[in-house]
Amino acid sequence: MTQTVGELDFPFHGFLETRRGPIVEIALSNSPGGLARTYVLVPEGAGELPPGIYSTMLKQVVDLDERGGWMVEVDLEPEPRGAEVRMDTTLDDEWESDERDLLIASHAERFQPQEPPAEREGDQPVNPYGLWALDESGSAFRVEVERDEESRGLLIEAATRFGKALHPWAYGAVRADTLEIEEHALEGDDALLDLQLYVADGDDDREYERWLVGTRRALEARAASPLPEFDPGQWMRWLTPVDGGAPVAFGGFLFPEKREIELQPVMPTEPEWAAGRLLTIPRERPDQAFEGSREVTVYGKPFKELRSSVAKVRKRPATPIGRFVLQPEGYMPERWSLLG
């Protein structure tokens, strides 16, 4: 006889760390360290998660000890009480989880001391050059978008922990006016769509919210009030040419381990001097603060030389490209969304 989700027992107990902060006690259908899908009973007060039954779409063991203690990273999905219980394998040691995912543990003490939940996009590392969403409350956050070929609509999911704390699931979306979405509708510097979102509710989809989705510059032009300022944190810095020109953003500044810093492209369109090259700058001198502003020489080595089969070519030194001012941590130029 087929068992439904509503008929499950939950003999195991543990704790869930939510994205909005609270750590709550939960009940589980089986030991989460096993191969099979685990069903999780979540109570009231669990941050961004409404009370109900969820299951582990994916899970990965973080820690197990000899005394039966455990910590598991999970990607949860809501389960209707009338749905059939699934016994499929959802444990995946090769799953590339990220900071958006949730942790469950046998004891609350296993969680690291909590930092305050993010209050805006940018409180945690994220590339600001990508697609953004503006929800009905006026919150702006980065999103990942892919085309749903079956419905000819889109699938939209928050790209960061901040966004996931507001909207924890992946949502279907169609244009609020014409329903069908052209294949390249979200390409271009000023791409913007007015979308109606849907969330799965058992066998049906129900309307969720209406969002504007597009580039940051497009959202800024349409938003009724200014969007919160973006904080690049430690990982992203700006280089401004000494002899004049627009500043350019690069990543690679979070815990560099070498004597030089490899600059990682951030902006969708690189300047001509950066294209096709591995770019580096020297580390700070002993009398300079890493997080402060300083003047640097940018060096470049063509990727084709790095990939050459000739050792002599591969060992050619990088050549100076020019002098730049490395702006301090936290700096964002005015109207940065119009750059790149």
Side-chain angles (χ1 to χ4, degrees):
M1 182 175 177
T2 300
Q3 186 180 25
T4 65
V5 170
E7 297 170 334
L8 278 170
D9 293 323
F10 294 88
F12 292 81
H13 290 268
F15 293 84
L16 164 71
E17 181 183 49
T18 68
R19 302 180 186 94
R20 290 187 190 170
I23 294 175
V24 297
E25 188 170 3
I26 56 174
L28 304 104
S29 63
N30 55 34
S31 174
L35 295 175
R37 180 181 293 262
T38 299
Y39 287 80
V40 182
L41 184 60
V42 175
E44 292 273 3
E48 71 280 3
L49 298 181
I53 300 175
Y54 299 81
S55 73
T56 55
M57 184 162 52
L58 285 167
K59 58 182 179 177
Q60 186 175 81
V61 174
V62 176
D63 186 36
L64 289 174
D65 63 36
E66 296 177 352
R67 295 173 295 177
W70 47 265
M71 177 174 279
V72 177
E73 194 159 15
V74 294
D75 189 358
L76 295 179
E77 59 181 339
E79 291 282 351
R81 289 183 173 269
E84 183 178 332
V85 171
R86 292 173 282 177
M87 300 299 293
D88 54 325
T89 296
T90 62
L91 187 70
D92 186 353
D93 291 336
E94 297 182 0
W95 172 37
E96 294 184 4
S97 55
D98 60 32
E99 66 172 14
R100 294 179 297 171
D101 301 307
L102 296 168
L103 288 171
I104 59 175
S106 55
H107 302 86
E109 296 76 19
R110 284 183 169 266
F111 297 113
Q112 296 291 325
Q114 289 185 300
E115 297 180 358
E119 297 181 358
R120 62 176 179 177
E121 196 67 284
D123 283 345
Q124 291 151 340
V126 61
N127 185 346
Y129 288 98
L131 292 175
W132 288 70
L134 188 67
D135 68 11
E136 291 182 353
S137 72
S139 295
F141 49 94
R142 282 273 288 103
V143 291
E144 294 176 352
V145 179
E146 63 180 71
R147 187 169 176 80
D148 184 353
E149 295 298 341
E150 183 176 343
S151 68
R152 300 190 66 79
L154 300 174
L155 292 175
I156 299 178
E157 184 174 7
T160 64
R161 195 169 185 83
F162 169 74
K164 279 282 192 178
L166 300 174
H167 307 283
W169 315 122
Y171 304 92
V174 295
R175 289 186 71 150
D177 47 7
T178 61
L179 299 183
E180 187 172 325
I181 300 174
E182 298 83 1
E183 185 174 354
H184 304 291
L186 283 174
E187 297 179 5
D189 295 338
D190 297 297
L192 186 68
L193 292 177
D194 183 358
L195 298 175
Q196 175 63 57
L197 271 63
Y198 294 84
V199 62
D201 187 5
D203 294 330
D204 300 317
D205 290 339
R206 59 178 171 83
E207 287 191 359
Y208 181 61
E209 285 192 7
R210 192 161 165 174
W211 292 359
L212 290 175
V213 175
T215 62
R216 170 83 181 208
R217 63 194 278 179
L219 284 186
E220 288 174 343
R222 281 282 299 273
S225 57
L227 302 186
E229 293 182 3
F230 182 84
D231 183 353
Q234 296 177 319
W235 79 279
M236 190 180 94
R237 304 274 290 271
W238 290 81
L239 288 167
T240 303
V242 169
D243 58 359
V248 183
F250 291 97
F253 293 90
L254 194 62
F255 310 125
E257 298 177 353
K258 300 179 181 179
R259 295 176 60 186
E260 58 187 19
I261 299 170
E262 292 186 5
L263 302 178
Q264 301 167 359
V266 168
M267 305 168 83
T269 303
E270 294 182 277
E272 186 177 349
W273 56 263
R277 296 179 175 92
L278 175 67
L279 302 177
T280 59
I281 59 173
R283 287 289 301 266
E284 72 282 4
R285 299 193 309 266
D287 62 334
Q288 295 175 323
F290 176 79
E291 66 275 10
S293 176
R294 63 183 186 272
E295 193 170 312
V296 297
T297 298
V298 173
Y299 295 86
K301 185 173 177 62
F303 288 121
K304 63 182 180 181
E305 290 186 6
L306 292 168
R307 303 186 187 110
S308 174
S309 59
V310 181
K312 186 177 180 180
V313 173
R314 290 197 305 272
K315 293 179 180 179
R316 285 177 184 166
T319 57
I321 289 177
R323 295 288 287 176
F324 294 77
V325 175
L326 175 64
Q327 303 293 348
E329 281 184 5
Y331 169 84
M332 289 292 282
E334 293 185 7
R335 300 173 64 83
W336 61 266
S337 63
L338 300 180
L339 301 172

